[in-house]
Structure formats: C-alpha cells, structure tokens
Amino acid sequence: MSEATNIVLKKPLDKMTAKELRELCISQIPQITGASGMDKDTLVVAVREALGFSTDEENKGPSPYKQQIWALKQQVRTLRAEKEQLAGSQRKDRDRLRRKINLLKKRTRRLAAAA
C-alpha cells in the first residue's frame, strides 16, 4: 500500500480509458491481478480500492438542489406556455421570455453540476 501512495494520476480515474487503466494497473499497482481481462468499470473500482480512495461519489444520494431545480423547471414550463400564447405578435416580449428561459435553463445546469 505504501508504494501505491506515490502514484500520481494525470487525470481522474473516470476520465481515463480502459487501456490507460490497464497500463496503470500492470506497471504501477501490482496488487491488482487480472487487469487485462477487466472492463473499465471494474478497473476503476479496483484501482480506487487499491489506492484507498473513498467512493463518496457513488453514495451521494439525491441532489441537495433537487427542489430548486424542480422549481426552476416549473418556471421554464410556465414561461414557455406564455411564450406560445404570444406566438403571432409582440416580438420584444417573446425575446424577453426566450432570454429568461435560457437563463433559467443555465441555472438548472449549474445546480445539477454543483451537486
């Protein structure tokens, strides 16, 4: 285990390809046997266990921002319905609604990424 703590990863394990993970296992982590026959998910789990990384990402549970995201999506739905009613006229109002919808969608994406 003391040898494994000296390993420096160039990128996160989830972003590495299966080939890169196999090379890492074969060259730097001798505790993992049978790496050449494992798929990517199995390799990631094995490397995390060998290096002693916590698996908090897998056990997070629901997003803490779930209610906020849901409320923003409700606002988007109502604004889209309002925009549909203005379909034939009032270009300024439609553009205002379109920009507002775009902003709300960006906020939902940011909240989802932060979780």
Coordinates of all heavy atoms in Angstrom, one line a residue, residues 63 65 68-70 72-73 76 80 101-115:
S63 N -29.7 14.8 -5.1 CA -29.0 16.1 -5.1 C -29.6 17.0 -4.0 O -30.8 17.1 -3.9 CB -29.3 16.8 -6.5 OG -28.9 18.1 -6.5
Y65 N -29.9 20.1 -4.3 CA -30.6 21.2 -5.0 C -31.8 20.7 -5.8 O -32.3 21.5 -6.6 CB -29.6 21.8 -6.0 CG -28.3 22.3 -5.3 CD1 -27.1 21.7 -5.6 CD2 -28.3 23.4 -4.4 CE1 -25.9 22.1 -5.0 CE2 -27.2 23.8 -3.8 CZ -26.0 23.2 -4.1 OH -24.9 23.6 -3.5
Q68 N -34.8 23.1 -5.8 CA -34.5 24.3 -6.5 C -34.6 24.1 -8.0 O -35.2 24.9 -8.8 CB -33.2 24.9 -6.1 CG -33.1 25.5 -4.7 CD -31.7 25.9 -4.4 OE1 -30.8 25.5 -4.9 NE2 -31.7 26.8 -3.4
I69 N -34.0 23.0 -8.4 CA -34.0 22.6 -9.9 C -35.4 22.4 -10.3 O -35.9 22.9 -11.4 CB -33.1 21.4 -10.1 CG1 -31.7 21.7 -9.9 CG2 -33.4 20.9 -11.5 CD1 -30.8 20.5 -9.9
W70 N -36.2 21.7 -9.5 CA -37.6 21.4 -9.9 C -38.4 22.7 -10.0 O -39.2 22.9 -10.9 CB -38.2 20.5 -8.8 CG -39.6 20.1 -9.1 CD1 -40.0 19.1 -10.0 CD2 -40.8 20.7 -8.6 NE1 -41.3 19.0 -10.1 CE2 -41.9 20.0 -9.2 CE3 -41.1 21.7 -7.8 CZ2 -43.2 20.3 -9.0 CZ3 -42.4 22.0 -7.5 CH2 -43.5 21.3 -8.1
L72 N -37.2 25.8 -10.7 CA -36.8 26.5 -11.9 C -37.4 25.9 -13.2 O -37.8 26.6 -14.1 CB -35.2 26.5 -12.0 CG -34.5 27.3 -11.0 CD1 -33.0 27.1 -11.0 CD2 -34.8 28.8 -11.2
K73 N -37.5 24.5 -13.2 CA -38.1 23.9 -14.4 C -39.6 24.2 -14.5 O -40.1 24.3 -15.6 CB -37.8 22.4 -14.3 CG -36.4 22.0 -14.6 CD -36.2 20.5 -14.7 CE -34.8 20.2 -15.1 NZ -34.6 18.7 -15.3
V76 N -39.7 27.5 -16.1 CA -39.5 27.4 -17.5 C -40.7 26.9 -18.2 O -41.1 27.5 -19.3 CB -38.3 26.4 -17.8 CG1 -38.2 26.1 -19.2 CG2 -37.0 27.0 -17.3
R80 N -42.6 29.1 -21.1 CA -42.8 28.5 -22.4 C -44.3 28.6 -22.9 O -44.6 28.9 -24.0 CB -42.3 27.1 -22.5 CG -40.8 27.0 -22.6 CD -40.4 25.6 -22.7 NE -38.9 25.5 -22.9 CZ -38.2 24.4 -22.6 NH1 -38.8 23.3 -22.2 NH2 -36.9 24.5 -22.8
I101 N -36.0 32.2 -20.2 CA -36.0 30.8 -20.3 C -34.5 30.3 -20.4 O -34.1 29.3 -19.7 CB -36.8 30.2 -21.4 CG1 -38.3 30.5 -21.1 CG2 -36.6 28.8 -21.7 CD1 -39.2 30.3 -22.3
N102 N -33.8 30.9 -21.2 CA -32.4 30.5 -21.4 C -31.6 30.6 -20.1 O -30.8 29.7 -19.7 CB -31.7 31.3 -22.5 CG -30.4 30.8 -22.9 OD1 -30.0 29.8 -22.6 ND2 -29.7 31.7 -23.7
L103 N -31.8 31.7 -19.4 CA -31.1 32.0 -18.1 C -31.5 30.9 -17.1 O -30.7 30.4 -16.4 CB -31.5 33.3 -17.6 CG -30.9 33.7 -16.2 CD1 -29.4 33.9 -16.3 CD2 -31.6 34.9 -15.7
L104 N -32.8 30.6 -17.0 CA -33.3 29.6 -16.1 C -32.7 28.2 -16.4 O -32.3 27.4 -15.5 CB -34.8 29.5 -16.0 CG -35.5 30.8 -15.4 CD1 -37.0 30.7 -15.6 CD2 -35.1 30.9 -14.0
K105 N -32.6 27.9 -17.7 CA -32.0 26.6 -18.0 C -30.6 26.5 -17.6 O -30.1 25.5 -17.2 CB -32.2 26.4 -19.5 CG -33.6 26.0 -19.9 CD -33.9 26.0 -21.4 CE -32.9 25.2 -22.2 NZ -33.2 25.2 -23.7
K106 N -29.8 27.6 -17.8 CA -28.4 27.6 -17.4 C -28.3 27.4 -15.9 O -27.4 26.8 -15.4 CB -27.8 29.0 -17.8 CG -27.5 29.1 -19.3 CD -26.9 30.4 -19.6 CE -26.7 30.5 -21.1 NZ -26.1 31.8 -21.5
R107 N -29.2 28.1 -15.1 CA -29.2 27.9 -13.7 C -29.4 26.5 -13.3 O -28.7 26.0 -12.4 CB -30.2 28.8 -13.0 CG -29.8 30.2 -13.0 CD -30.8 31.0 -12.2 NE -30.6 32.5 -12.3 CZ -31.5 33.4 -12.0 NH1 -32.6 33.1 -11.5 NH2 -31.2 34.7 -12.1
T108 N -30.3 25.8 -13.9 CA -30.6 24.4 -13.6 C -29.4 23.5 -13.9 O -29.0 22.6 -13.1 CB -31.8 23.8 -14.3 OG1 -31.6 23.9 -15.7 CG2 -33.1 24.5 -13.9
R109 N -28.7 23.8 -15.0 CA -27.5 23.0 -15.3 C -26.4 23.3 -14.3 O -25.7 22.3 -13.9 CB -27.0 23.4 -16.7 CG -27.9 22.9 -17.8 CD -27.3 23.1 -19.2 NE -28.4 23.2 -20.2 CZ -28.7 24.2 -20.9 NH1 -28.0 25.3 -20.8 NH2 -29.7 24.2 -21.8
R110 N -26.2 24.5 -13.9 CA -25.2 24.8 -12.9 C -25.5 24.1 -11.5 O -24.6 23.6 -10.9 CB -25.1 26.3 -12.7 CG -24.4 27.0 -13.8 CD -24.1 28.5 -13.4 NE -24.0 29.2 -14.6 CZ -24.7 30.3 -14.9 NH1 -25.6 30.8 -14.0 NH2 -24.6 31.0 -16.0
L111 N -26.7 24.2 -11.1 CA -27.1 23.5 -9.9 C -26.9 22.0 -10.0 O -26.4 21.4 -9.0 CB -28.6 23.8 -9.5 CG -28.8 25.2 -9.0 CD1 -30.3 25.4 -8.8 CD2 -28.1 25.4 -7.6
A112 N -27.2 21.4 -11.1 CA -27.1 20.0 -11.3 C -25.6 19.6 -11.3 O -25.2 18.6 -10.7 CB -27.7 19.5 -12.6
A113 N -24.7 20.5 -11.9 CA -23.3 20.2 -11.9 C -22.7 20.4 -10.5 O -21.7 19.7 -10.2 CB -22.6 21.1 -12.9
A114 N -23.2 21.3 -9.7 CA -22.7 21.5 -8.4 C -23.0 20.4 -7.4 O -22.3 20.3 -6.4 CB -23.3 22.9 -7.8
A115 N -24.0 19.6 -7.7 CA -24.4 18.6 -6.8 C -23.5 17.4 -6.8 O -22.6 17.2 -7.4 CB -25.8 18.1 -7.1

